Amino acid sequence: MPSSIRFVLASASPARLETLRRAGLCPETIVSGVDEDALAAPTVGELTARLAEAKARAVAQRVEGDALVLGCDSLLELDGQPFGKPGSAGAARARWLRQRGAVGFLHTGHFLLRTASGTSAGEVATTEVRFGRPTAEEIDAYVASGEPEQVAGAFTIDGLGGWFIDGITGDPHTVVGVSLPLLRRLLEQLNVTLHDLGYPEPPIQSS
């Protein structure tokens, strides 16, 4: 069913887009181009919130007419330090040698903006991640796949990295990059329903 409100995802993440599509929505994608290194915050969670807002506001300036713009950003917190995408095979391997057997926290900031009214809502979802202990050979094979270079924390739970995650506490969608329950709450704050965005309407009850 076509949506009545334009919905824009301010992210280049294919995992976020696929999550939303599987959940019944069909967002457009516009990459924000925000310089992530230019922003700072007292905590890792607050940093993801600032990055998500910056991305949403940057894209909203380029969108004409009424639209909902969703910005998201994910970072892994390990020993109090933020870790995003490794960006190289060497960095990904070093990251895994450090985090195997450890417990980290995957923070995903969400910021939803309605362009017509300027109203907005934001929140951070946090999920505890318990890393397994892959062997050096398994780490090398995983790094060689190229997957960990392009994802926050150098791991996935819905791809090749799932073998090496012993467990999580929290919403698994947060780790993938967008929390569906949190997004639904943000939509409610802006008086938008899932059906406004194209989610299937409930069937008409016959009398």
Side-chain angles (χ1 to χ4, degrees):
M1 177 179 178
S3 62
S4 59
I5 300 177
R6 186 180 178 190
F7 183 36
V8 179
L9 176 62
S11 171
S13 167
R16 289 192 183 107
L17 178 60
E18 184 63 18
T19 296
L20 293 169
R21 283 177 172 171
R22 287 178 179 269
L25 306 185
C26 296
E28 304 173 43
T29 57
I30 300 177
V31 181
S32 68
V34 166
D35 180 5
E36 299 183 16
D37 295 331
L39 297 178
T43 68
V44 180
E46 289 177 271
L47 180 56
T48 65
R50 289 188 181 182
L51 287 166
E53 179 175 356
K55 291 178 179 181
R57 293 194 181 282
V59 168
Q61 293 177 357
R62 293 150 50 191
V63 173
E64 296 182 357
D66 187 22
L68 275 171
V69 180
L70 174 65
C72 293
D73 191 84
S74 297
L75 291 170
L76 175 69
E77 179 181 354
L78 196 64
D79 299 327
Q81 299 297 312
F83 294 96
K85 301 174 184 177
S88 71
R93 186 176 189 279
R95 190 84 59 81
W96 263 100
L97 290 173
R98 174 177 179 173
Q99 67 195 27
R100 61 179 174 181
V103 175
F105 297 90
L106 199 290
H107 304 280
T108 295
H110 300 65
F111 192 84
L112 190 66
L113 174 68
R114 185 79 182 260
T115 59
S117 62
T119 54
S120 61
E123 193 174 328
V124 176
T126 299
T127 296
E128 180 186 271
V129 181
R130 297 181 295 281
F131 292 98
R133 295 181 179 274
T135 65
E137 291 77 12
E138 288 171 330
I139 291 174
D140 288 342
Y142 183 39
V143 169
S145 74
E147 181 183 88
E149 292 181 40
Q150 303 302 321
V151 288
F155 75 98
T156 65
I157 61 169
D158 59 337
L160 298 175
W163 296 100
F164 314 123
I165 305 301
D166 282 354
I168 65 169
T169 301
D171 177 11
H173 291 111
T174 299
V175 182
V176 178
V178 56
S179 170
L180 297 178
L182 190 157
L183 176 56
R184 181 171 173 272
R185 294 196 298 272
L186 297 182
L187 289 168
E188 288 178 343
Q189 291 181 44
L190 299 189
N191 297 313
V192 177
T193 70
L194 290 173
H195 308 305
D196 290 330
L197 299 184
Y199 186 82
E201 293 280 1
I204 298 175
Q205 300 295 324
S206 58
S207 58

